[in-house]
Amino acid sequence: MITRVLTVAGSDSGGGAGIQADLKTMLALGVHGMSVLTAVTAQNSLGVQGAWELPVDAVRAQYRSVVDDIGVQAVKTGMLSSAELVETVAELISGTDAPAVVDPVGVSKHGDPLLAASALDSVRTRLLPVATVATPNLDEVTQLTGVRAESEQDLRRAAAAVLEFGPRWVLIKGGHLSGDAVDLLTDGSEEHLLRATRYDNRHTHGTGCTLASAIACGLARGRSVPEAVTAAKAYVTGAIAAGFALGAGIGPVDHGWALRRDTP
């Protein structure tokens, strides 16, 4: 049977991030993507103009519908805007025999808040403990732990702070630092420093969603966490390099870059 990955996240009407980015990534990487919608956003290249959370019962029903019939080999979470949603999804994941990649989305690429302040404690105490891999960026690390990483040397301290909440592995994304794009993957004992060229391209909408989904695809195929993260980093680096202008603001990464690489 084809490899199956489930994303639990919000919709980006502009198609660059959220559920749309997740499903594009899954298609590009050869797995069957399925979705549980948690929120609908009015969103474009300029920002988020509105967001509407779905009822918890609707989220639970979508999840059970997919998992109970089709089954999943990995789960990825994105936008979970309220404490009630975070706790519901954490409960569902804990009862699912599949690795989980948690992208603790706090704000959009444009700085628009996507997580209620009241939900932060639920992310710390309920969602992170069920994560196989958590993938916070530096702003999300600060939001969750209070630790501010301002250099590559701070990444280990940031990772230790997130690991305190219980994920098996954490990938600290150093994309907001200067110099090369450096991420730190660690489980507290084993460490992998992942370095890639930084491309001078402002069109990076959907980077975090894309990376987390690519990791979930690798885990679903049976790769180890370091193998899945390394492959996902290579994929998202190519997608960033090929990111394109769309609308008047920040355009998306190109999820199909590898598929179009040899197209005239």
Side-chain angles (χ1 to χ4, degrees):
M1 183 180 288
I2 189 169
T3 304
R4 292 142 287 144
V5 179
L6 176 65
T7 169
V8 184
S11 167
D12 172 3
S13 54
I19 286 280
Q20 287 81 355
D22 297 338
L23 294 176
K24 290 174 187 178
T25 298
M26 293 168 192
L27 178 64
L29 296 179
V31 309
H32 177 65
M34 303 168 290
S35 60
V36 170
L37 206 62
T38 62
V40 175
T41 69
Q43 187 171 170
N44 56 27
S45 70
L46 297 173
V48 179
Q49 292 79 46
W52 298 267
E53 182 181 306
L54 266 68
V56 165
D57 286 349
V59 171
R60 182 181 289 109
Q62 290 175 81
Y63 191 100
R64 289 264 60 94
S65 178
V66 171
V67 173
D68 293 348
D69 173 49
I70 302 170
V72 298
Q73 288 157 294
V75 179
K76 176 261 177 186
T77 72
M79 179 184 177
L80 304 172
S81 50
S82 70
E84 190 178 15
L85 265 182
V86 170
E87 291 167 11
T88 297
V89 171
E91 177 188 349
L92 290 166
I93 288 173
S94 68
T96 304
D97 185 19
V101 180
V102 170
D103 185 17
V105 177
V107 296
S108 75
K109 179 68 68 178
H110 305 85
D112 302 294
L114 298 175
L115 178 71
S118 58
L120 279 171
D121 194 53
S122 295
V123 173
R124 297 182 191 106
T125 62
R126 300 290 295 277
L127 190 59
L128 288 177
V130 301
T132 307
V133 188
T135 64
N137 63 31
L138 298 184
D139 289 339
E140 290 157 354
V141 169
T142 301
Q143 192 178 35
L144 290 166
T145 71
V147 171
R148 189 172 298 279
E150 298 177 336
S151 69
E152 186 177 322
Q153 289 68 40
D154 294 335
L155 295 180
R156 184 176 292 162
R157 184 165 56 92
V162 177
L163 284 171
E164 286 289 324
F165 295 115
R168 282 180 48 204
W169 290 82
V170 62
L171 177 68
I172 303 295
K173 300 179 292 192
H176 294 174
L177 300 176
S178 58
D180 289 344
V182 180
D183 304 331
L184 174 64
L185 173 69
T186 181
D187 64 354
S189 56
E190 185 179 334
E191 286 187 357
H192 301 267
L193 203 61
L194 306 174
R195 192 179 301 274
T197 300
R198 183 182 298 278
Y199 290 97
D200 184 20
N201 185 357
R202 67 189 291 261
H203 302 301
T204 57
H205 185 48
T207 308
C209 307
T210 300
L211 177 62
S213 293
I215 294 169
C217 290
L219 295 178
R221 290 185 179 282
R223 289 177 170 172
S224 68
V225 170
E227 289 170 341
V229 172
T230 299
K233 171 84 167 175
Y235 170 72
V236 79
T237 299
I240 291 169
F244 54 92
L246 195 70
I250 299 172
V253 300
D254 185 354
H255 299 94
W257 69 271
L259 305 176
R260 284 194 281 275
R261 188 167 43 185
D262 300 322
T263 302

